[in-house]
Amino acid sequence: MLRGDEGLRCGNGARREALIIAAIWALVGAIAGCGTDAEPAASAGGGGGSGGAKPALTAKGGFQVALDGKTFAIDYGQGKVEADIVHKLNPDPKGHGCVTSVRLALQKSDGSCQLLLRFEPVGESLRLVEGQFAAALGIRQGGVVVDTIKCAGFPGADGAGEILWAWKGGSAQMTRFTIGPPEASKALASIANANFSPSGTIDLAHKGKQFSIDLGSIDVTGVATSVGSSTVSCGVTQGAEVCPKDAAYGDKVGQYLRRPGSAYSCVDSAAFDFGDFCGKTHVVIVYDHWLASPQRNPDGHDKFGGKVVLEGLAGLLDKYGKEVTFALVVRTGSARVVIENPSKPGSYSASGPAPTLDDCAEVRTTYNIPEDVVVLFDKDKALNSLEKRLFDADFVPQVGVMDGKGQIRSILPGADGKLELPPVEAAIEAALAGQ
């Protein structure tokens, strides 16, 4: 399955669905052998397949690449292809079920030259969310690579160890579809005439080198099986592509949250675009770590304003997590720094240093920030300036509540500087109601 391996971008939703796929397919053999009303998977030849066997799919097309002065071409029509599909179970036998994940694995007949593509629903399309090409695919035993399957003829494939080219740019999608009745109500649904035709161009990279693949030349057809799950979501239109165009960015209510925002991921230090939240109500909390530092206030550092909101994020997620995305921006490190104002000699002000990944980890641990909260940090210490700050507020921590378009609907705290959970919940409720 696609996992969060080095160089592979995998969000929390992708990881959850990948685990669902793996767990259910691991049990398919047991289900078929122990007596069940689940129907055997159909085969491309028209006959009933053995219990739990995946139906046959065929691929057409492939890609060509020029790399290191050499050329390489592959046609997956001479190989094999697998599709792992997940749909939302519909308890109504007459109802439809949305497809929430499609993972394609194309390879030669010997298992080499594997191309992995995973799509999830965004708006009217299934959008690529993971991609990887194996120039040398590792064979593992006990989690250790003990041998590799080389992609013969691919430049550099003869190097030592596993060689994986990871998706680094470009976009791809395919037409979104649903599972019809009565299959949508089954744990294993049969898709009689599956047709996966991706489009778009993506970039794959490895150790500073890069090549592009036009996925429009690949077509997969046949009979497939979809795994039903009651815990997956049909998703919402979400991401930068659905943000309003030519928006008035700023830091005040009525303006739009600045993009990209000069914030970086606490996972991999990658620049973060707040447009990723478009399509869903989102809450962004700005936190200065030095404000709660014992060095600044040794007697009351554990009683600073807004602490209850940070510690209450788990409760907010439980209450609104299906409708709201939460993010925390760590704007400073924990040390207290006193700086003289260059324009006013003799005038000093206190602040904190630029935060680090260690500050991210400390904040997560200190306040038990849930994994599903996106934690970012201002590693360049740019968000303190009037030109780049996220919210027009005089107190920190501060909370901004945005609607699905990224428009700022509320900024907390108010003039009294009090940041409590009830006003935050009221602001979220108002944004959800379109107020």
Side-chain angles (χ1 to χ4, degrees), residues 233-275:
S233 170
C234 290
V236 296
T237 302
Q238 190 170 357
E241 68 271 20
V242 299
C243 294
K245 305 299 185 290
D246 301 320
Y249 298 110
D251 56 8
K252 298 175 176 58
V253 172
Q255 295 179 320
Y256 289 79
L257 186 62
R258 286 180 171 131
R259 296 177 51 200
S262 299
Y264 296 82
S265 168
C266 282
V267 175
D268 56 11
S269 296
F272 187 83
D273 185 349
F274 287 108

Side-chain angles (χ1 to χ4, degrees), residues 223-305:
V223 180
T225 290
S226 178
V227 176
S229 171
S230 59
T231 62
V232 294
S233 170
C234 290
V236 296
T237 302
Q238 190 170 357
E241 68 271 20
V242 299
C243 294
K245 305 299 185 290
D246 301 320
Y249 298 110
D251 56 8
K252 298 175 176 58
V253 172
Q255 295 179 320
Y256 289 79
L257 186 62
R258 286 180 171 131
R259 296 177 51 200
S262 299
Y264 296 82
S265 168
C266 282
V267 175
D268 56 11
S269 296
F272 187 83
D273 185 349
F274 287 108
D276 285 0
F277 296 151
C278 284
K280 214 173 184 183
T281 296
H282 43 289
V283 174
V284 176
I285 302 172
V286 176
Y287 169 71
D288 283 351
H289 199 19
W290 77 277
L291 288 175
S293 160
Q295 296 95 322
R296 175 180 182 268
N297 186 0
D299 298 322
H301 68 275
D302 60 342
K303 301 176 183 178
F304 68 93

Side-chain angles (χ1 to χ4, degrees), residues 42-44 55-59 81 191-196 219-225:
S43 69
L57 289 165
T58 59
V81 59
I191 306 173
N193 298 298
N195 187 352
F196 307 105
D219 191 45
V220 175
T221 58
V223 180
T225 290

Side-chain angles (χ1 to χ4, degrees), residues 250-252 257-258 260-263 274 284-286 329 331 383 385 388-392 398 408 411:
D251 56 8
K252 298 175 176 58
L257 186 62
R258 286 180 171 131
S262 299
F274 287 108
V284 176
I285 302 172
V286 176
V329 179
R331 199 169 59 172
L383 299 181
S385 69
K388 292 188 177 183
R389 68 182 182 183
L390 298 180
F391 307 115
D392 180 13
Q398 54 194 225
I408 302 172
I411 297 175

Side-chain angles (χ1 to χ4, degrees), residues 337-348:
V337 179
V338 178
I339 303 174
E340 184 176 11
N341 189 333
S343 62
K344 296 180 180 179
S347 174
Y348 297 85

Side-chain angles (χ1 to χ4, degrees), residues 112-144:
S112 66
C113 308
Q114 186 183 73
L115 177 65
L116 295 177
L117 304 168
R118 181 182 176 86
F119 299 83
E120 289 185 353
V122 174
E124 300 301 317
S125 301
L126 289 167
R127 182 181 62 177
L128 184 75
V129 295
E130 300 179 33
Q132 180 178 274
F133 173 73
L137 184 63
I139 299 174
R140 288 175 168 78
Q141 183 176 16
V144 178

Side-chain angles (χ1 to χ4, degrees), residues 34-67:
C34 298
T36 176
D37 58 1
E39 297 180 4
S43 69
S50 61
K54 291 188 181 182
L57 289 165
T58 59
K60 293 181 181 179
F63 66 88
Q64 299 181 51
V65 59
L67 192 65

